[in-house]
Amino acid sequence: MEQEKLLEIKNLCTQFTTEDGIVKAVDDISFTIYRGQTIGIVGESGSGKSVTSLSIMRLIQEPPGEIVSGSITYYPKGESPIELLEISENKMRSYRGNNIAMIFQEPMTSLNPVFRCGYQVDEAIMLHQKLSRKDAKAKTIALFEKVELPNPERIYKAYPHEISGGQKQRVMIAMAMSCQPDILIADEPTTALDVTVQKTILKLIEQLKKEIDASILFITHDLGVIAEIADHVIVMYKGKIVEQGSVQEIFLQPKHPYTKGLLACRPPLDYRLKRLPIVSDFMDESFDENGNRIITEKVKNTTTLIDRLKVTPEDLQQRHQKIYTGEKVLEVKNLNTWFPTEKSLFGKPKAYLKAVNDVSFDVFKGETLGLVGESGCGKTTLGRTIVKLNQAISGEVLYNGIDLMALSEKEMRPLRKDIQIIFQDPFSSLNPRMTIGNAILEPMQVHSILENDSIRRDKVVELLETVSLKADQFNRYPHEFSGGQRQRICIARALAMNPKFIICDESVSALDVSVQAQVLNLLMELREKYELTYIFISHDLSVVKFISDRIMVMNDGEIVEIGDADEVYYHPKQDYTQRLIEAIPTGKVVFNG
């Protein structure tokens, strides 16, 4: 039986005018979405994935952007085909959200912070379905139940900041599904969500797709998610489609070196590597005299490359013997960080949120201790309490025998250079008004590291080069860098203090798989070069298993399991750990390599 076309994109070109000239964000791409199909688009940041989706919705801001050529044809059931690039903005508005809906990557920025969640969904229903406010409210609450939001009546009245990231994403899904669209575009809808929340969201999208017979265009950089949800995969690189085919074809027999590189740089679950393969291991890039990109393949056999990088059991045993017969750097004893949730008339706390509740563990010199758990389990609070950014109510944190909790701020200051933290969001942890060179230089001045500013500047340049950035980027501002580059800047700033101990708080969670691989490799290189000790906090168990010697699992403010990384992964003792492991997306196919 012939498949029914729903959306056809032909020779689409979208470009942006910048100070450096014209950037072709989407460069002559063509593909077709059929009714009931899920198409996955994968690629790194800047590959053109999101610009493709915004072009379909006609949400490209002009200027600086412009759809310069091509066609986007929508085939509504029982009606004549509609060329979306030729109709008026008014007409397009009637299709946008109604026939073609979109779930955006960041629900916090796509939900209006000054309106209640229910009101925002009501508005979409009233606009497209001409229902009264009362009927729209009833439909919204029914949708909130369908997307499994707890207490739909409460969330209907809640503002976006009053609900969690996973709940905000469900509100967005409810809004997108409210008009039963033919096509649902999901742009990175699960990025930076816990594996368990991600699993629920993916299941929900799949379930709703069947209910309303919709097609899905699913955009992500996570290949595990694509393998889980898509029928057909499109791989994009620098604005072009380099490969497309069924999930089996792409994952089991990738042809393009870029696709092979993307598949290989995902942390493996069934063996250990000295470092993760990266895209540049698989391909070289050059340009001809006309400026056309030429890609040449470097590796024919992925398996051979991976075999060369595998860690032997003897190597691992040797490493662990050296670590665990050595000294303890950190001893955490009965640590409690509680936040008052209710106060009496006189301001005395009556009830507490026990974010960190009677936690005890040790960290050895040179070790990487992985800390995993869902959002809200207390991971970040624990990390921040160790470096005294949150105040503990009781317990001890002994760093080389010194109880940090007993120190005043003045006594703590000299130790701050030894204990550094790399935050989850590099953009908000960098001052937007300060060049990145000065951001790295400033803490060196504060702690009087090196003799003078001239020597310090040389050290900053050396650090930038250590994290694969360039000396001439010293005077650039944070907004001029990509997410992966900003994370490298934060790593360089942490290293400027010559620390002995670093807490990495979700420092790779929102990065592309290829950039994530580079940052993880960098952290491992630095660990060996400077004999660093890490606490590595993440909700992604595959990443934690790759980098950690031991894994500590946290739930509701308590440590529920701790042990050797492989032991915890292969033989979890707790049901909660088992659930986290089962939620890791491995997909319908086995990864090549």
Side-chain angles (χ1 to χ4, degrees), residues 507-532:
S507 48
V508 297
S509 67
L511 301 178
D512 297 336
V513 277
S514 52
V515 179
Q516 183 185 79
Q518 290 166 25
V519 172
L520 289 170
N521 289 345
L522 173 64
L523 289 170
M524 287 177 77
E525 274 170 43
L526 297 170
R527 181 178 71 187
E528 304 315 309
K529 187 176 175 183
Y530 297 111
E531 295 186 325
L532 296 172

Side-chain angles (χ1 to χ4, degrees), residues 352-577:
Y352 290 94
L353 168 69
K354 297 180 180 181
V356 174
N357 191 21
D358 197 28
V359 164
S360 300
F361 64 93
D362 302 325
V363 186
F364 290 80
K365 187 178 179 180
E367 179 184 26
T368 299
L369 177 66
L371 176 56
V372 292
E374 297 170 290
S375 287
C377 72
K379 308 185 297 291
T380 294
T381 304
L382 175 56
R384 290 173 67 90
T385 304
I386 289 168
V387 294
K388 292 193 76 170
L389 292 176
N390 282 129
Q391 200 59 48
I393 63 161
S394 64
E396 294 176 291
V397 175
L398 302 175
Y399 173 70
N400 290 333
I402 301 164
D403 185 6
L404 302 182
M405 298 299 109
L407 300 181
S408 68
E409 188 49 52
K410 192 178 176 184
E411 291 166 327
M412 179 70 191
R413 192 166 291 135
L415 285 172
R416 288 213 179 274
K417 64 179 189 296
D418 289 348
I419 310 166
Q420 288 289 304
I421 185 164
I422 302 166
F423 296 98
Q424 176 171 358
D425 181 2
F427 197 65
S428 61
S429 57
L430 289 167
N431 185 334
R433 295 181 178 185
M434 190 181 273
T435 65
I436 61 117
N438 286 327
I440 300 167
L441 185 72
E442 187 187 44
M444 294 169 79
Q445 292 168 329
V446 169
H447 288 279
S448 304
I449 290 168
L450 302 175
E451 290 79 61
N452 57 52
D453 278 356
S454 174
I455 299 170
R456 287 178 196 127
R457 279 176 177 273
D458 292 341
K459 180 67 178 172
V460 171
V461 168
E462 185 193 313
L463 286 165
L464 287 173
E465 285 167 353
T466 301
V467 297
S468 304
L469 292 168
K470 297 187 180 99
D472 62 11
Q473 293 174 317
F474 186 102
N475 290 317
R476 291 195 188 176
Y477 289 89
H479 72 270
E480 297 178 78
F481 294 89
S482 70
Q485 287 173 321
R486 283 196 288 265
Q487 199 56 280
R488 287 161 192 263
I489 293 160
C490 290
I491 292 169
R493 184 176 59 179
L495 290 175
M497 300 290 94
N498 299 322
K500 308 287 185 292
F501 186 93
I502 300 178
I503 296 171
C504 304
D505 184 10
E506 298 274 15
S507 48
V508 297
S509 67
L511 301 178
D512 297 336
V513 277
S514 52
V515 179
Q516 183 185 79
Q518 290 166 25
V519 172
L520 289 170
N521 289 345
L522 173 64
L523 289 170
M524 287 177 77
E525 274 170 43
L526 297 170
R527 181 178 71 187
E528 304 315 309
K529 187 176 175 183
Y530 297 111
E531 295 186 325
L532 296 172
T533 304
Y534 294 133
I535 290 181
F536 191 90
I537 300 171
S538 180
H539 59 252
D540 188 334
L541 226 138
S542 58
V543 167
V544 169
K545 181 184 175 293
F546 165 73
I547 200 169
S548 303
D549 298 296
R550 284 187 303 155
I551 290 177
M552 189 158 74
V553 184
M554 202 167 177
N555 186 25
D556 287 339
E558 296 178 1
I559 303 299
V560 294
E561 188 159 353
I562 185 167
D564 175 80
D566 289 349
E567 189 63 29
V568 169
Y569 178 74
Y570 292 115
H571 308 290
K573 293 183 176 66
Q574 299 293 322
D575 291 344
Y576 177 74
T577 312

